[in-house]
Amino acid sequence: MDGAKTWLAVAREVGDLLDDVDETSFGAAVTELLTPGRRWFATGQGRSGLVASMTAMRLMHLGQDVHVLGEATAPSVEAGDGLIVISGSGETPVSLHYVRRAREHGARTPAVTAHPSSSLAKLADVVLCVPSRNTAQFSGSLFEQGSLLVLDAVVMALAAGREGEHARMQARHTNMQ
């Protein structure tokens, strides 16, 4: 690739990835996040952690009680909570540790991974597979891009049918900019 219109190559890769997302697992993730009254935590390592933070922000905009695991203001994970774990490989040691600890405390553990047979997928209650493979991009870029878009689509699905939801989401958006 010589650099000419590489953004179109990225767009094609992302489009192909989105075509491969399983509707059933997407629906299961939406259903899991619809659980009323559940506190949510989000985590991932590296760039997956940034996707987790962006997802937590959108869930907060929806009015969810949500925290980013490891932040100074995040409370302890308790029974009935949920921990969203994002890991392309599904083998990230820190993420696997967090899932085990969350489950010990009675939390639900939906996971987003590129590998549905990974250790993370085996531990998780719900698995949303973002099947990033065959990429010209560096490292996990395609997984991270796809995860963000798929999780934004989950938020759209959660907001669907709620009259005035976009206005309420906007009202929850920061006003300190």
Side-chain angles (χ1 to χ4, degrees):
M1 198 172 306
D2 64 7
K5 296 192 177 184
T6 53
W7 59 92
L8 295 178
V10 169
R12 281 188 290 278
E13 286 188 0
V14 171
D16 290 344
L17 177 149
L18 294 174
D19 281 340
D20 290 342
V21 171
D22 179 69
E23 290 181 50
T24 302
S25 65
F26 180 87
V30 170
T31 299
E32 184 74 17
L33 286 162
L34 276 171
T35 305
R38 178 172 283 162
R39 280 191 320 170
W40 286 103
F41 295 80
T43 190
Q45 307 310 305
R47 286 170 45 119
S48 292
L50 298 174
V51 173
S53 292
M54 289 186 277
T55 301
M57 178 185 284
R58 285 294 182 244
L59 292 173
M60 177 276 295
H61 290 150
L62 277 174
Q64 298 268 15
D65 184 359
V66 62
H67 307 276
V68 176
L69 197 65
E71 292 292 320
T73 58
S76 59
V77 175
E78 299 173 350
D81 291 341
L83 175 63
I84 302 165
V85 182
I86 303 169
S87 171
S89 70
E91 301 297 337
T92 309
V94 172
S95 295
L96 294 173
H97 171 73
Y98 287 157
V99 169
R100 288 182 186 106
R101 293 289 293 153
R103 291 178 65 82
E104 287 172 10
H105 290 283
R108 296 281 296 172
T109 54
V112 180
T113 184
H115 299 282
S117 60
S118 65
S119 298
L120 175 61
K122 291 173 185 167
L123 288 170
D125 293 302
V126 173
V127 177
L128 178 51
C129 184
V130 176
S132 58
R133 54 193 173 270
N134 302 325
T135 179
Q137 296 183 63
F138 180 74
S139 191
S141 291
L142 181 59
F143 170 76
E144 295 137 8
Q145 294 156 357
S147 293
L148 177 60
L149 294 174
V150 169
L151 288 165
D152 271 352
V154 167
V155 170
M156 284 181 65
L158 293 170
R162 296 182 188 177
E163 186 69 32
E165 189 62 34
H166 282 144
R168 285 188 297 277
M169 289 176 75
Q170 187 61 45
R172 292 183 192 107
H173 193 278
T174 185
N175 60 3
M176 294 288 125
Q177 296 178 338

